[in-house]
Each structure stands twice: as structure tokens, then as C-alpha cells.
């Protein structure tokens, strides 16, 4: 273990290298570029004996990973925003072919208008593709989660692709100290990928295929079941990582000071750090507030939210993306999860930080004020004047 | 009697679901005879998705991976990268795609694969339309051909634009080897495939692949139509290696294109003036090819 000062993008690159990936394929897009530049250096210098396929698009990047992974290789790619959207068809292929690809995504706003800032619209719009999704809060969490992602993705009970996301610039281009495990430690935690061997030279077999309704349902159901096994497998992966590396990021939903709270905010990514400090300030003022950081978005940790619903009266879900015609996607998910449980606290939704607009402590404080006050359901766009910021559908 | 040089091993098995007279099926059969069993083939959405038969069966004696229609070039780059990284020995990576999946929606991925110098073979079987979706025009559909999106009737006279020069596009990438092949000439076909198999780097095949329902001719005529296409110069057989052109079939004077066009319903609306124009173009293209052969 060594302590190094690095960006979130470097954390992605170091983790992929430590995972001893066989094949990397990527196409440049701001703010992802430095991830693959570093990996290109590692590969060119021989430090990482991987095939680096320099593709002509993100679409091809993911196809290279899908095909390489189908043959048994451990693969890595990284992208952002428009690049992820271009991959859309291949995202479905990756999950359907059960290829355990790990992809770093730098969460960036989607055009138009062009914008490079942090925003979760890119990954949220891919949430139905069968990929496991982790949202990271720190560069350390990025590095640790990428390593955990390979163990999870390649687990025979899962065999699904995983994306590990980080907020544009707040993580991708901001440096902080990161503990980097030694190669021997990673090798012990993450052994070589077990060959699945569907595609073997000299043997008749077909991966992908086509079916009528007779088998198609079973294929989809298998993906659904694999997703359903993720929480338990991930718990084991995280526990093993904790015992070896002595770091733990709190499971699927990392709660903070929720036990006797009146109101809890649900946050994702870097805004969680800001929100946590505001919780401490408000607690010091005697106000009972807490935080639930949503780390794993797919599969959605419904059980954790049903449990949280039994503890608090008010939950405010803070989204960094908006589903036009509905509300923030995290809000929808939290509501759906809680509905089937016995406790139904008051729920409301706050839109913040689109296109990299800053989520300041003052803003989080304002959200808590409103959540603790008597306000009705709906989505509040907190970055807009109060009367303009209400979007409700009825 | 001349000894047959085509390997006896069959890697396309009976029970596949191609239409009667399907030249794309024949093309796969000959391709795999030339490449052998240690081939992994990546196939996009096209007729071959269906020809191979549905899950849980497969008609091929080799390993096959499905890929989306537009990404065959990238898929074979990925398979090659994995085979090299994992040290899988003696494996031939083949992409086998239709004309639509190659010349139109998959052109970018093909170009990328060629430019990256991927050590793999890309084969385009050219039935000159989107057949799997019901005979819509592609960039490889020839001038004047009827398709469901280039109808014949008031205001429309079949496809108004000429066929895309896919070999020209491929050759602009300077592949290690590129050749045209035609299942009506199986010896030439397999010989070229065997030659390509033993090379390393990006290799390309343009396969002539008549389609009885799409071209509107009786299903027992595919071999004959293929012969006419080559003998009249519509589909000349040649190969290009290290920039050198070599025409592999020169049967004396070219036959008139009428014999080829008049055998197919998709051209039945073309009149004498149309066919004269086509003849002039085919003759010019042939002369250009002969010139390229002597100059390179
Ligand atoms: C992205 C996408 N667009 C459209 C299709 C529909 N589609 C399936 S097969 C096909 C025709 C392919 O034509 P070609 O490549 O010439 O092969 P052929 O069907 O003639 O064998 C099309 C358009 C698809 N599968 N994917
Ligand atoms: Mg076609």
C-alpha cells in the first residue's frame, strides 16, 4: 500500500492496471481523456501487458470490449456523456451476452447545449441496460470500487457489466491522497478471470443467437436474476476488500446520522461530501437531520430504503438529472422502493447541480430547511427562483 | 480428370435455414472450407443471423459470435485483441457481414478495423440489398435495380444511383490482401481464402452473393447468374496484394451484360437504352481494371 496524490481519473487508470486487464479500448472525450492517456502510457511502456485497441468511436470501444470479453479477456473502457450515449445499443449487448466488462464513466452533462460539467443525465439514461451502476464520492472510492467491480462482475453468480462513475472535474480532475494497494494485495483479492469458454476455437457454439418467445423470456429472466444476486455478492466482495485493504465505503447505501433523524437527504456522488458537512452543522444547531448516500443505483437497493423509511418522517431525494415528464430518477426509485414497505414517510424531490452548477453548503441547507418545513410533494429545481422552480405533474 | 482442390471438410452443416439457392449460404460454406475449424466468426444482423438457425442450435461447425449490424469491424478487432492477450494459438478471426452491414451502417467500423491493421479477415457477402428486412436498397444495390424502396412505376425507375465501390474504399486503406470471390467459381474462391488465411494483417473479401427472392429469379439459377456476372464483367474476379492487382479470371472477350440483366426480375423494367448505358459503364470499369493490373 502506498499513499499517492491523484485525480479520480488516475484512480480509474491505476485500478484498471492493478486489475491486470487484458484488453483496453477507448475513444477520447472530455473529461475522460486522462484515464485512457495514462493507460496508453502504461501499455506502451510495457508496465501493463495489455492490448490497447485505439478505436474510431465509443461504439466500437464497447464492441471491442464485448467481443474480447466474450472470448475470456478482462476488459476496461472509459467514457463520458455523449460517448456513453453512443454506446447505448452495445450496453444492452454487454449485459445480454453476460460480459463482465468494467467501465469508468465520468458523469458529464448531455448536449445541447454543449456542457462539460458534472451531471448524472448520461448514466441515468442508461439505467435500464442491465449494467450495475456505482456512483463514487471520492478518488479513493473510485479506485476501490473499480477493483471491487471486477470481482463482482466476474462472479459466476453475476456475470454482468459494471460501470463506476465519478463526477466531472470534482473528481476527474481534482487530486487528493489515495491509498494504492500493492499489486500482490490486488492479485490476492482479484484472481485471474475464470474462463467461461463459450467461444472456443475448434468447437461449434454460438454466443448471442436469436430466439422466438419460447426462449427469449428465459434469457431476460436470467439477467434479472443475476442482477438480483448482486447485493449479496457485493456484500461479500466489500467485506473481503475491507478485511484485506482495511477500507470500507458503506455498502449500497451509506447512511450518516439517520438513527433519530426527522429528515434525511438522499444524495449521489460528490454532493454527498458537502451534504455530510451540512448535516454536522445542523446537528450542532440541534436539528435532527441525516444523510443517505446512494452508492449503488443498479440494482436499486430497495431493502435499504424500506428500512430507512421506518426510521424517519421525511426523505428528500436530491437528483443531479431529470427525467422529462416525470421527476429525478433517484426520486422515482426511492418512492417505488418504499411503496411496497410498511412505512411511508413524506417524500420530496430536489433538482440540483445540472451542467456542473455548484451544489454549495448554502444550497444543501436551503434544501433541509424546505424539507423540514411544510412543503408538498413534487420536484423543486433548487437552482431556479422559487416560483419558477416547481415542476409537478398531476 | 483434374483433381479437386477444395477441402472435403464441411463446416456448414445441413439443416440451416437459408432459402433455396441462397448464395450467401454457399459463400459461408466455401469460406469455412478455406479457413478451417479453428475459426471464430462474428456475424452482425443480416440474413446469416437467421440462416444459422435459432437457439439452441447452430448450423456452423465453428464458434460464432453475434454482433450488432454496424460493428463487425470492431468485433473482430476485439476478438483478435483477446486472442493475442490470452495467447490463444492458431485462431483465425473472421467477420462475415452483409453489404448493408458493411457498405452502409458498418462502414465506420470496417474502416477503423482496416486502419488499425487488425489481424483478421472481413468478408462482405454482397446480395446487393437489405434482404433480411425484405429487400430494401443499400449502398451496394446497383443502378436501376428494383427493391421495395426503389420501386418501379410512375416517377421511379428502380435505384437512381450507382453501386458504392466497396473494394475501392477498402483498397484506400491498403489492406494486406483484398479479393473478389464468387461461389460460382469455387476453386478460385477457396484458393484465395487459403491464401488470405496464411497472411497476417487486415484482409478483405467482397463476395458476390445472388439472392433468388430478392433478385427475382428461380432458385435453381444462382450458379448460372453468378457465372454470367463474372463473365460479362459486372463482377470481375481479382485480388490485390501489396498494391498489385491480379485478375484471376479472364475468359477471353466479355459477354454482353444483357445476358446477366435479363435473367433477373429486378431488372426486367430496364430497356435497351438503359442496358446500353450499363454496358458502356461495365466495359469502362473492366478496361480500368485491366489497366490497373498491367500498371501495378
Ligand atoms: C441498428 C440496426 N438497424 C437496423 C436493423 C435491422 N436490420 C436487420 S438485418 C438488416 C439488413 C441487413 O442487410 P445486409 O447487411 O445487406 O444483410 P442481408 O440481410 O442482405 O443478408 C437490417 C437493416 C438492425 N438490426 N440494427
Ligand atoms: Mg444484403
Amino acid at each position: 500500500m502506498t499513499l499517492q496524490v491523484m485525480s479520480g481519473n488516475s484512480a480509474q487508470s491505476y485500478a484498471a492496471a492493478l486489475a491486470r486487464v487484458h484488453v483496453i479500448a477507448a475513444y477520447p472525450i472530455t473529461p475522460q481523456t486522462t484515464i485512457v492517456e495514462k493507460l496508453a502510457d502504461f501499455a506502451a511502456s510495457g508496465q501493463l501487458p495489455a492490448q490497447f485497441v485505439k478505436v474510431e468511436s465509443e461504439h466500437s470501444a464497447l464492441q471491442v470490449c464485448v467481443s474480447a470479453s466474450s472470448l475470456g479477456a478482462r476488459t476496461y473502457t472509459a467514457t463520458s456523456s455523449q460517448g456513453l450515449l453512443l454506446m447505448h445499443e452495445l450496453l444492452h449487448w454487454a449485459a445480454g451476452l453476460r460480459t463482465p466488462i468494467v467501465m469508468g464513466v465520468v458523469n458529464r452533462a448531455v448536449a445541447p447545449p454543449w456542457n462539460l460539467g458534472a451531471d448524472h443525465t448520461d448514466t441515468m439514461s442508461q439505467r435500464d441496460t442491465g449494467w450495475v451502476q456505482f456512483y463514487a464520492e471520492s478518488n479513493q472510492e473510485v479506485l476501490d470500487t473499480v477493483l471491487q467491480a471486477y470481482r463482482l462482475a466476474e462472479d459466476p453468480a453475476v456475470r454482468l457489466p459494471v460501470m463506476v462513475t465519478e463526477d466531472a472535474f470534482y473528481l476527474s480532475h481534482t487530486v487528493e491522497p489515495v491509498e494504492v494497494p500493492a499489486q500482490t494485495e490486488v492479485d490476492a483479492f482479484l484472481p485471474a478471470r475464470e474462463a467461461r469458454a463459450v467461444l472456443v476455437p475448434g468447437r461449434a457454439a454460438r454466443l448471442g443467437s436469436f430466439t422466438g418467445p419460447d426462449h427469449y423470456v428465459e434469457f431476460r429472466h436470467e439477467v434479472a436474476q443475476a442482477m438480483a444476486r448482486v447485493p449479496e455478492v457485493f456484500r461479500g466482495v466489500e467485506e473481503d476488500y475491507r478485511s484485506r485493504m482495511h477500507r470500507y465505503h458503506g455498502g449500497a447505501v451509506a447512511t450518516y446520522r439517520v438513527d433519530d433523524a426527522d429528515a434525511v437527504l438522499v444524495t449521489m456522488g460528490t454532493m454527498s461530501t458537502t451534504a455530510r458537512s451540512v448535516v454536522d452543522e445542523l446537528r450542532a444547531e440541534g436539528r435532527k437531520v441525516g444523510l443517505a448516500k446512494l452508492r449503488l443505483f443498479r440494482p436499486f437497493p430497495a431493502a435499504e430504503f424500506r428500512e430507512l423509511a421506518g426510521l424517519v418522517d421525511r426523505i428528500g431525494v436530491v437528483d443531479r438529472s431529470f427525467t422529462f415528464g416525470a421527476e429525478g430518477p433517484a426520486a422515482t426509485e426511492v418512492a417505488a422502493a418504499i411503496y411496497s414497505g410498511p412505512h411511508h414517510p413524506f417524500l420530496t424531490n430536489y433538482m440540483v447541480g445540472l451542467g456542473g452548477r455548484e451544489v454549495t453548503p448554502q444550497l444543501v441547507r436551503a434544501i433541509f430547511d424546505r424539507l423540514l418545513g411544510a412543503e408538498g410533494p413534487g420536484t423543486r429545481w433548487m437552482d431556479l427562483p422559487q416560483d419558477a422552480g416547481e415542476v409537478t405533474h398531476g | 480428370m483434374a483433381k479437386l482442390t477444395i477441402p472435403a471438410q464441411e463446416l456448414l452443416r445441413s439443416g440451416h435455414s437459408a432459402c433455396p439457392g441462397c448464395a450467401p449460404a454457399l459463400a459461408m460454406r466455401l469460406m469455412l472450407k478455406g479457413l478451417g475449424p479453428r475459426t471464430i466468426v462474428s456475424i452482425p444482423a443480416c440474413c446469416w443471423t437467421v440462416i444459422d438457425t435459432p437457439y439452441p442450435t447452430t448450423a456452423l461447425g465453428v464458434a460464432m459470435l453475434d454482433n450488432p449490424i454496424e460493428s463487425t469491424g470492431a468485433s473482430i478487432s476485439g476478438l483478435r485483441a483477446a486472442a493475442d492477450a490470452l495467447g490463444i494459438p492458431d485462431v483465425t478471426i473472421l467477420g462475415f457481414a452483409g453489404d448493408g452491414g458493411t457498405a452502409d451502417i458498418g462502414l465506420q467500423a470496417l474502416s477503423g478495423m482496416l486502419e488499425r491493421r487488425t489481424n483478421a479477415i472481413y468478408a462482405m457477402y454482397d446480395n446487393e440489398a437489405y434482404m433480411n428486412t425484405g429487400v430494401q436498397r443499400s449502398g451496394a444495390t446497383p443502378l436501376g435495380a428494383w427493391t421495395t424502396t426503389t420501386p418501379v412505376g410512375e416517377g421511379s425507375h428502380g435505384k437512381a444511383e450507382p453501386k458504392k465501390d466497396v473494394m475501392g474504399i477498402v483498397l484506400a486503406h491498403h489492406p494486406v490482401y483484398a479479393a473478389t470471390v464468387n461461389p460460382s467459381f469455387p476453386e478460385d474462391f477457396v484458393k484465395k481464402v487459403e491464401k488470405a488465411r496464411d497472411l497476417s494483417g487486415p484482409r478483405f473479401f467482397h463476395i458476390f452473393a445472388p439472392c433468388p427472392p430478392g433478385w427475382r429469379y428461380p432458385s435453381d439459377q444462382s450458379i448460372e447468374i453468378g457465372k454470367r456476372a463474372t463473365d460479362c464483367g459486372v463482377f470481375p474476379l481479382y485480388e490485390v496484394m501489396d498494391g498489385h492487382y491480379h485478375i484471376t479470371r479472364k475468359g477471353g472477350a466479355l459477354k454482353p451484360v444483357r445476358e446477366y440483366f435479363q435473367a433477373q426480375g429486378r431488372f426486367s423494367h430496364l430497356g435497351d437504352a438503359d442496358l446500353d448505358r450499363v454496358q458502356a459503364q461495365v466495359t469502362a470499369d473492366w478496361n480500368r481494371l485491366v489497366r490497373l493490373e498491367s500498371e501495378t
Side-chain angles (χ1 to χ4, degrees):
Chain A
M1 193 89 69
T2 57
L3 195 63
Q4 293 184 41
V5 174
M6 66 170 70
S7 66
N9 280 0
S10 282
Q12 291 268 359
S13 320
Y14 276 100
L18 285 167
R20 296 187 188 274
V21 292
H22 299 112
V23 175
I24 302 160
Y27 187 84
I29 183 167
T30 303
Q32 153 266 31
T33 41
T34 54
I35 299 177
V36 288
E37 286 166 9
K38 186 164 256 32
L39 283 170
D41 284 345
F42 288 162
S45 68
Q47 185 183 341
L48 175 65
Q51 298 282 322
F52 195 128
V53 187
K54 283 138 194 169
V55 287
E56 80 296 340
S57 72
E58 288 88 353
H59 189 281
S60 285
L62 193 50
Q63 178 66 67
V64 164
C65 290
V66 165
S67 295
S69 185
S70 298
L71 206 50
R74 183 173 283 166
T75 63
Y76 179 82
T77 185
T79 189
S80 185
S81 179
Q82 317 296 129
L84 185 67
L85 304 190
L86 186 63
M87 287 178 175
H88 180 72
E89 184 183 5
L90 266 305
L91 293 173
H92 284 275
W93 277 86
L97 291 178
R98 312 295 299 277
T99 50
I101 299 162
V102 173
M103 165 157 58
V105 183
V106 186
N107 280 123
R108 170 190 143 178
V110 165
W114 292 110
N115 176 290
L116 305 176
D119 185 308
H120 296 166
T121 305
D122 51 4
T123 47
M124 280 300 162
S125 68
Q126 307 304 324
R127 65 192 187 272
D128 294 339
T129 55
W131 283 63
V132 175
Q133 288 194 345
F134 287 102
Y135 290 76
E137 181 190 346
S138 69
N139 297 348
Q140 184 71 61
E141 193 177 329
V142 168
L143 183 138
D144 294 336
T145 309
V146 169
L147 292 174
Q148 293 165 5
Y150 278 106
R151 262 277 295 271
L152 176 68
E154 293 172 8
D155 191 293
V158 175
R159 283 199 182 109
L160 286 173
V162 179
M163 53 180 90
V164 178
T165 83
E166 52 175 60
D167 284 336
F169 300 105
Y170 297 123
L171 291 191
S172 69
H173 286 67
T174 306
V175 296
E176 53 187 14
V178 173
E179 284 186 11
V180 182
Q183 186 67 60
T184 48
E185 293 173 295
V186 174
D187 290 346
F189 168 74
L190 180 67
R193 182 180 163 195
E194 248 175 72
R196 181 163 155 242
V198 172
L199 298 179
V200 178
R203 199 166 80 200
R206 179 174 179 182
L207 185 61
S209 201
F210 84 101
T211 73
D214 47 349
H215 292 290
Y216 186 80
V217 180
E218 282 74 10
F219 275 103
R220 303 305 282 183
H221 189 237
E222 282 197 18
V223 175
Q225 284 178 304
M227 262 295 182
R229 289 189 289 264
V230 165
E232 197 193 325
V233 174
F234 182 60
R235 260 192 296 279
V237 168
E238 224 191 356
E239 281 309 323
D240 188 38
Y241 196 86
R242 180 189 219 167
S243 70
R244 292 170 187 277
M245 315 286 187
H246 313 293
R247 275 192 307 282
Y248 178 67
H249 297 287
V253 183
T255 53
Y256 183 68
R257 304 185 80 165
V258 298
D259 280 341
D260 62 339
D262 294 328
V264 164
L265 281 191
V266 179
T267 58
M268 300 174 72
T270 49
M271 63 165 104
S272 308
T273 316
T274 311
R276 199 177 292 109
S277 73
V278 173
V279 166
D280 286 341
E281 283 171 25
L282 293 175
R283 282 277 180 177
E285 294 165 18
R287 297 164 83 186
K288 290 181 174 178
V289 294
L291 181 75
K293 178 180 82 164
L294 182 49
R295 185 173 171 226
L296 178 67
F297 189 81
R298 274 290 178 273
F300 194 77
E304 280 83 345
F305 280 100
R306 282 197 284 272
E307 198 178 309
L308 182 69
L311 299 177
V312 301
D313 297 333
R314 293 181 164 260
I315 296 180
V317 183
V318 187
D319 270 288
R320 198 164 203 148
S321 67
F322 189 76
T323 299
F324 297 125
E327 58 187 342
T332 304
E333 299 283 345
V334 171
I338 288 175
Y339 185 79
S340 59
H343 309 289
H344 296 149
F346 176 79
L347 257 188
T348 191
N349 184 208
Y350 300 96
M351 281 301 309
V352 302
L354 296 186
R357 195 169 293 194
E358 270 196 76
V359 184
T360 60
Q362 293 82 343
L363 187 73
V364 176
R365 197 175 249 275
I367 292 173
F368 269 123
D369 283 343
R370 294 182 66 161
L371 180 60
L372 286 162
E375 84 175 336
T379 302
R380 270 146 205 94
W381 290 56
M382 293 300 292
D383 295 317
L384 301 177
Q386 191 157 334
D387 50 352
E390 307 257 340
V391 176
T392 46
H393 297 272
Chain B
M1 205 178 90
K3 194 168 161 288
L4 273 182
T5 57
I6 297 173
Q9 187 174 22
E10 294 292 357
L11 291 165
L12 169 58
R13 303 181 291 199
S14 64
H16 63 75
S17 50
C19 304
C22 173
L26 267 180
M28 178 67 91
R29 178 174 174 231
L30 294 171
M31 180 61 65
L32 291 180
K33 276 178 179 286
L35 295 182
R38 286 188 67 82
T39 301
I40 297 180
V41 58
S42 198
I43 301 185
C46 60
C47 285
W48 248 100
T49 311
V50 182
I51 296 171
D52 189 65
T53 72
Y55 176 86
T57 57
T58 177
L60 295 181
V62 300
M64 166 179 170
L65 174 67
D66 286 83
N67 63 262
I69 186 168
E70 67 285 353
S71 55
T72 307
S75 181
I76 59 180
S77 287
L79 288 171
R80 172 48 67 194
D84 288 351
L86 299 171
I88 300 173
D90 317 322
V91 58
T92 300
I93 305 297
L94 170 68
F96 196 86
D99 50 291
T102 302
D104 292 342
I105 196 168
L107 189 60
Q108 173 183 315
L110 168 65
S111 172
M113 166 269 173
L114 292 169
E115 186 271 340
R116 286 189 295 274
R117 316 300 295 167
T118 292
N119 179 16
I121 298 174
Y122 191 114
M124 172 183 79
Y125 70 91
D126 187 4
N127 52 18
E128 302 196 320
Y130 299 124
M131 294 309 182
N132 192 45
T133 39
V135 202
Q136 294 83 23
R137 62 91 88 184
S138 79
T141 301
L143 180 72
W146 165 90
T147 67
T148 55
T149 51
T150 53
V152 172
E154 196 81 32
S156 176
H157 199 56
K159 193 187 177 203
E161 306 82 16
K163 182 181 176 75
K164 199 183 275 194
D165 178 8
V166 178
M167 278 296 273
I169 293 168
V170 167
L171 288 170
H173 294 76
H174 309 293
V176 167
Y177 182 80
T180 61
V181 289
N182 180 340
S184 296
F185 300 91
E187 302 265 337
D188 176 82
F189 192 129
V190 174
K191 211 164 108 185
K192 285 173 178 164
V193 173
E194 286 173 338
K195 184 186 242 177
R197 179 195 61 201
D198 297 335
L199 296 169
S200 161
R203 290 149 283 168
F204 182 82
F205 283 100
H206 182 172
I207 309 174
F208 190 71
C211 167
W215 295 10
R216 296 183 156 181
Y217 65 83
S219 60
D220 61 356
Q221 291 300 302
S222 292
I223 299 299
E224 180 57 28
I225 298 238
K227 279 186 181 154
R228 289 186 194 186
T230 292
D231 289 343
C232 76
V234 164
F235 194 85
L237 297 183
Y238 63 101
E239 61 187 5
V240 184
M241 198 160 149
D242 301 328
H244 299 294
Y245 282 70
H246 174 216
I247 301 173
T248 59
R249 182 173 167 86
K250 277 190 213 154
L254 292 183
K255 299 214 167 113
V257 296
R258 273 181 172 68
E259 292 179 16
Y260 170 70
F261 280 79
Q262 285 170 350
Q264 303 170 53
R266 63 173 172 158
F267 295 124
S268 61
H269 55 286
L270 299 185
D272 280 341
D274 299 318
L275 291 177
D276 287 345
R277 271 195 296 277
V278 171
Q279 181 67 67
Q281 187 62 51
V282 168
T283 306
D285 289 348
W286 172 261
N287 290 337
R288 183 174 161 269
L289 186 63
V290 171
R291 211 168 48 245
L292 279 169
E293 185 184 40
S294 67
E295 284 170 2
T296 60

